[in-house]
């Protein structure tokens, strides 16, 4: 049975500015959770998990991104707008000593400019309810859920603002992983390395337009005296 993806309303007063975000806002979104939950959302999607021959993205990646976009914004992404719903990265948690995964996540962009390497991030975690009848959710979320509302019907997904975890490293972590993915896809060169530094928070803004191959001299034109 196909389950629906359910993101509850924000618990905060006033609501968090990313829950939900304005549709035109530049935002990088990551959603992740147990594979068993993702498979309930996408039961007919095939998986190609081979640690020796990885593919990117998995067939489930764009489809999970589409479901998430619809759950966040209340409508499908317009196909003629290329800046929306751009898959940038995915996460596969490999089972030790097995060529299998048990956890999956996808990262996608909405309206993120091509020269923006440190956008704001919306982190969403999928919570499996059926496996333990909601025990984990009711222990680790700041609100109570009724398992009967979810089992066999829908999958719970909770933005970071409505979790107990603060997510203080979400922006650096998610952007860093996207930068690493770019390194793997494009090869290592100066600009890509700079993107990686931006993604990991070494820089907190866009890459400056002005670059120097050597350290520039002081404005006076005179090198500083050694001490």
């Amino acid at each position: 049975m196909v389950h629906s993806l359910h993101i509850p309303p924000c618990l905060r007063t006033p609501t968090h500015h990313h829950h939900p975000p304005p549709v035109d806002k530049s935002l990088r979104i990551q959603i992740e959770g147990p594979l068993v939950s993702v498979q309930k959302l996408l039961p007919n999607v095939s998986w190609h998990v081979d640690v020796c021959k990885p593919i990117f993205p998995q067939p489930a990646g764009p489809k999970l991104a589409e479901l998430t976009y619809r759950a966040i914004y209340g409508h499908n992404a317009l196909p003629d707008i290329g800046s929306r719903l751009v898959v940038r990265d995915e996460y596969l948690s490999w089972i030790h000593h097995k060529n299998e995964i048990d956890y999956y996540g996808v990262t996608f962009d909405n309206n993120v400019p091509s020269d923006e390497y440190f956008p704001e991030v919306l982190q969403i975690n999928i919570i499996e309810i059926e496996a333990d009848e909601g025990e984990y959710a009711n222990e680790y979320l700041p609100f109570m859920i009724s398992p009967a509302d979810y089992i066999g019907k829908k999958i719970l997904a909770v933005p970071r603002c409505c979790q107990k975890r603060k997510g203080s490293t979400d922006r650096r972590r998610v952007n860093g992983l996207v930068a690493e993915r770019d390194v793997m896809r494009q090869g290592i060169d100066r600009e890509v390395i700079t993107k990686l530094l931006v993604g990991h928070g070494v820089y907190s803004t866009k890459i400056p337009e002005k670059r120097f191959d050597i350290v520039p001299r002081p404005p006076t034109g005179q090198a500083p005296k050694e001490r």
Side-chain angles (χ1 to χ4, degrees), residues 8 15 30 35 41 46 68 73 88 111 134 161 169 186 214-215:
T15 59
Q30 183 184 66
L35 179 64
L41 293 168
S46 59
T68 306
Y73 297 107
R88 299 301 307 276
N111 287 327
C161 61
T169 63
Q186 300 175 20
I214 59 175
V215 178

Side-chain angles (χ1 to χ4, degrees), residues 79-137:
D80 58 335
I81 301 180
S83 63
R84 294 185 180 172
L85 219 162
V86 180
V87 174
R88 299 301 307 276
D89 188 38
E90 65 182 1
Y91 174 72
L92 293 83
S93 177
W94 297 92
I95 300 175
H96 191 51
H97 293 316
K98 290 186 178 182
N99 199 26
E100 302 174 13
I101 64 171
D102 60 2
Y103 197 89
Y104 179 77
V106 66
T107 301
F108 64 96
D109 287 354
N110 182 53
N111 287 327
V112 176
S114 59
D115 63 344
E116 175 61 77
Y117 305 114
F118 200 72
E120 292 187 63
V121 166
L122 170 58
Q123 172 69 42
I124 303 174
N125 289 90
I126 294 173
I127 310 297
E128 171 60 25
I129 302 297
E130 190 167 348
D132 63 358
E133 297 187 345
E135 181 178 347
Y136 177 90

Side-chain angles (χ1 to χ4, degrees), residues 149-183:
D149 292 338
Y150 293 90
I151 294 176
K153 303 173 186 176
K154 53 189 178 182
I155 299 298
L156 175 63
V158 184
R160 183 70 82 200
C161 61
C162 292
Q163 301 179 25
K164 290 182 179 179
R165 293 179 60 186
K166 301 300 182 182
S168 57
T169 63
D170 285 346
R171 187 174 183 181
R172 184 171 69 249
R173 174 181 54 82
V174 172
N175 286 319
L177 290 172
V178 169
E180 289 177 12
R181 176 72 62 179
D182 287 344
V183 168

Side-chain angles (χ1 to χ4, degrees), residues 60-73:
K63 294 185 180 298
L64 180 57
E66 291 172 3
L67 290 178
T68 306
Y69 186 100
R70 188 183 310 132
I72 293 172
Y73 297 107

